[in-house]
Amino acid sequence: MKRLRLDRWTGQLLVARPGASPVSTSLAAFRPASAPRCAAVRHQSTAATPFTEDSIPDDHDGTDHTRFPPLEKLPPRSTSLPSPLPERALQSPKLAALHARLSLSQKLPLQTLARALVDASADKNPQFNNSNLAFVGMTLINYHVAEWLMCRFPRLPMEVLYSAMKAYAGPTALHQVARSWGIEYAAAPGGEVDPGLLQFSLKERGDAMTTFGYKRAEAEYLDKYKFRHGISSRVVLDDDFGETVHNRLSNEALAARPDTEYGNELTRSLAEMAFATCARAIVGAIYAHCGRETVKDFVNAHVLSRTLDISKLFSFRKPTTELSLLCAREDFEPPVARLLSETGRLSRTPVFVVGIYSGNDKLGEAAGSTLEQARYKAATNALKSWYLYSPGEHVRVPSDMLSEGAKPWEPVYMDIGEIIAR
Amino acid sequence: MDLHYCDWAGSSKGMNGFIKSLLPKFAAAHPQIEFTVSPRPSKHPVIIGHYINGRQKAICVRNMEPYEILKKVELLRDASGEHLKRTTKPVRSINESVRGIWSPYHGNGMVV
């Protein structure tokens, strides 16, 4: 069987087809018909550039170029473009450094990396911004995180699973990941900006679709009357993190909030979203050029390797009731709380150690300053130890089967579900 | 990493030699670092390292020989950008301890 030629599938990422997009055709007309996929770079070229300075009068912004010569020779009309030209990516030291820092393969060209740094709010043309790459990247990151969480912690309740997904693959986490890669941002987007800088606009949101999910019919009432929406409807209707799709605070509402140390809430949320989209787009670009295995290793190394204490994500309203329901469901003996040890009952700081037993088996144990509190904490610990069951640290995930020569699949442990459906 | 030099001043002599002879090799060996070389006339030569955590470290390299400057550049390369701290404990971990925290309420206790 012949190998799939992944590199042939991604040609459209680099080739801009003139007139293919109805939006901003006037801008697209200035673009080159097809950017060279592997242009030969001549560093330290002594040849004069074909464009003289007299030929760029129409985007003159009033700067006296004889007094303030430009730091870099820019192609003509570049200041009128929304984002830098793809061929300038080959000259950017920032981009080359980022490529080397992430140890990306040589198969991933700098032009694609530059495109991953252009947010939809900077350049509306989907042929030049990162929205398509980001969508691919988002699905890949979410898939790998979800399958790993499900195989590693098969008994997680849906709510905790959603918050764990968000803690690994949500915008805040990916923003931190992108920052840790050393991605810097441009003050304002434009064609003259260094292509190695992340470009996004603080004035408006990009209208790129970056999530799955449906707009609920009762969307208005959810905010207005705080409609209850159960976990089952979230699975079907909402996005990968169990959040309603429409539930984005409007720009005015965010801008009206008080300023923090670094900008107001609106600018902060826009920057966070832009960084997260960029991280997703880089993952999408790796998939497009290097394939499935490389992207899986990349997600493992940069997203799943982060530490998350899942036991902190739980909150139980009635742990004792839930525990007795669990014991009834699993045919255990009903749970009994027993006082294991105590000290200073009549003092200011008493400590009671309570264990929860089902027959002769101790399910959980906790220390508290009152008997009631210790019992609640012990029940919570017992429930956590049930829900956080893990078959092992190195579980096999379904995507392991996609590699060549994989061992036959052994079914992973599947749980029958949570105790109290919410 | 920013490298500033002066064409005229004698304190930049070593820096100019470093930029001419050693920097190309060093930069080629470290593609993950972005180097900018820019003149700073009538000032002492300086190397400034910008780190991912937002901090920067500057070292004045006036009157230094090229190989001394290479040592300083390697120092900036190896630094994490954090303040220098004395490490008293050899291992730091965010994982919780395998043995757990000692509890006075468990075990046989000690008879006083």
Side-chain angles (χ1 to χ4, degrees):
Chain A
M1 202 173 90
K2 268 182 145 183
R3 272 196 69 203
L4 296 174
R5 297 294 301 270
L6 279 168
D7 50 335
R8 292 212 178 140
W9 295 2
T10 55
Q12 83 271 19
L13 290 174
L14 289 176
V15 178
R17 289 164 297 143
S21 156
V23 279
S24 66
T25 42
S26 61
L27 293 173
F30 293 140
R31 303 282 192 174
S34 64
R37 290 184 63 186
C38 313
V41 204
R42 282 187 63 202
H43 291 298
Q44 298 170 344
S45 171
T46 49
T49 44
F51 308 107
T52 56
E53 294 204 349
D54 303 335
S55 66
I56 43 165
D58 49 352
D59 61 315
H60 190 64
D61 53 356
T63 314
D64 185 0
H65 284 294
T66 51
R67 274 191 72 197
F68 305 105
L71 290 171
E72 190 189 349
K73 205 71 153 184
L74 290 171
R77 300 174 193 271
S78 60
T79 49
S80 63
L81 293 174
S83 65
L85 289 170
E87 61 259 29
R88 280 185 61 215
L90 295 170
Q91 270 91 35
S92 168
K94 279 186 195 301
L95 213 51
L98 179 66
H99 194 282
R101 211 178 294 141
L102 292 178
S103 5
L104 299 176
S105 155
Q106 289 302 316
K107 283 188 243 168
L108 176 63
L110 289 175
Q111 287 97 330
T112 314
L113 192 60
R115 185 176 157 185
L117 292 171
V118 179
D119 192 63
S121 60
D123 192 343
K124 287 201 172 51
N125 190 341
Q127 292 180 333
F128 294 96
N129 66 27
N130 64 7
S131 52
N132 295 333
L133 287 173
F135 193 76
V136 176
M138 183 210 64
T139 51
L140 285 166
I141 294 176
N142 290 358
Y143 169 70
H144 284 299
V145 172
E147 70 167 3
W148 181 78
L149 279 174
M150 282 179 194
C151 293
R152 179 80 207 279
F153 300 105
R155 281 183 189 153
L156 282 187
M158 267 322 275
E159 274 189 352
V160 179
L161 187 67
Y162 273 144
S163 37
M165 278 285 291
K166 201 178 175 193
Y168 274 114
T172 318
L174 290 180
H175 165 237
Q176 296 290 339
V177 170
R179 289 262 180 182
S180 73
W181 291 341
I183 295 175
E184 297 167 61
Y185 58 93
E192 73 283 4
V193 179
D194 188 315
L197 296 170
L198 174 64
Q199 295 163 61
F200 59 93
S201 171
L202 288 177
K203 296 207 178 78
E204 59 198 301
R205 272 171 201 276
D207 51 355
M209 189 173 79
T210 49
T211 178
F212 284 112
Y214 301 91
K215 190 166 184 286
R216 287 164 177 259
E218 74 280 16
E220 279 179 32
Y221 305 107
L222 279 179
D223 294 339
K224 202 174 171 187
Y225 301 117
K226 304 275 185 294
F227 266 21
R228 180 183 169 279
H229 44 291
I231 204 77
S232 320
S233 71
R234 280 193 225 178
V235 174
V236 177
L237 294 172
D238 295 346
D239 67 2
D240 290 345
F241 310 120
E243 290 177 339
T244 46
V245 175
H246 79 285
N247 193 11
R248 308 273 186 273
L249 282 172
S250 66
N251 290 0
E252 292 79 28
L254 276 173
R257 291 200 187 164
D259 282 6
T260 52
E261 194 179 345
Y262 306 101
N264 60 27
E265 294 255 353
L266 173 66
T267 56
R268 289 186 61 152
S269 76
L270 288 178
E272 187 183 285
M273 210 55 221
F275 270 96
T277 312
C278 166
R280 286 167 176 160
I282 289 177
V283 172
I286 292 172
Y287 177 72
H289 287 279
C290 309
R292 205 173 47 212
E293 292 299 312
T294 323
V295 87
K296 192 179 168 194
D297 292 342
F298 191 83
V299 171
N300 277 337
H302 290 97
V303 180
L304 287 178
S305 64
R306 291 158 63 83
T307 309
L308 173 70
D309 189 359
I310 296 185
S311 67
K312 296 247 166 70
L313 301 177
F314 284 89
S315 78
F316 298 103
R317 206 165 290 149
K318 289 177 181 167
T320 44
T321 318
E322 199 165 334
L323 186 60
S324 57
L325 282 175
L326 167 71
C327 289
R329 194 186 78 174
E330 298 293 322
D331 284 340
F332 299 157
E333 287 180 37
V336 179
R338 294 193 184 123
L339 185 60
L340 298 180
S341 117
E342 61 165 284
T343 179
R345 186 181 276 256
L346 299 177
S347 74
R348 196 165 145 272
T349 51
V351 177
F352 302 99
V353 180
V354 169
I356 298 235
Y357 287 81
S358 159
N360 283 328
D361 303 329
K362 184 154 83 173
L363 304 180
E365 182 195 295
S369 56
T370 62
L371 285 167
E372 196 71 350
Q373 190 202 5
R375 190 168 65 96
Y376 263 66
K377 278 167 80 175
T380 308
N381 284 345
L383 282 174
K384 277 184 185 174
S385 61
W386 170 262
Y387 279 131
L388 286 173
Y389 160 75
S390 172
E393 210 163 293
H394 303 287
V395 284
R396 289 186 83 194
V397 287
S399 65
D400 286 345
M401 292 303 293
L402 297 173
S403 60
E404 286 175 26
K407 281 187 227 160
W409 176 249
E410 292 166 19
V412 290
Y413 175 78
M414 294 296 285
D415 193 61
I416 58 170
E418 46 202 282
I419 301 158
I420 297 179
R422 289 173 183 86
Chain B
M1 202 182 281
D2 292 343
L3 298 111
H4 296 295
Y5 66 95
C6 170
D7 275 331
W8 174 81
S11 63
S12 285
K13 210 175 138 200
M15 185 63 163
N16 293 348
F18 171 78
I19 291 170
K20 274 181 204 141
S21 58
L22 299 177
L23 181 62
K25 213 171 168 187
F26 187 83
H30 299 92
Q32 72 274 20
I33 306 174
E34 181 197 347
F35 290 93
T36 56
V37 180
S38 53
R40 211 170 65 126
S42 60
K43 295 275 200 310
H44 285 313
V46 179
I47 310 169
I48 305 173
H50 299 268
Y51 293 91
I52 281 175
N53 62 1
R55 295 192 70 241
Q56 41 180 290
K57 291 188 175 182
I59 298 178
C60 179
V61 289
R62 60 173 182 176
N63 299 328
M64 281 191 191
E65 297 298 316
Y67 278 98
E68 286 178 87
I69 299 176
L70 183 66
K71 282 271 185 313
K72 297 289 178 197
V73 170
E74 283 171 354
L75 188 147
L76 286 182
R77 173 201 69 186
D78 295 340
S80 70
E82 294 289 339
H83 277 290
L84 294 182
K85 282 178 201 153
R86 170 186 284 271
T87 44
T88 47
K89 300 260 172 71
V91 178
R92 279 168 56 205
S93 173
I94 45 175
N95 296 332
E96 60 184 84
S97 129
V98 178
R99 297 170 70 180
I101 302 168
W102 177 79
S103 155
Y105 309 111
H106 295 84
N108 293 328
M110 194 172 62
V111 181
V112 183

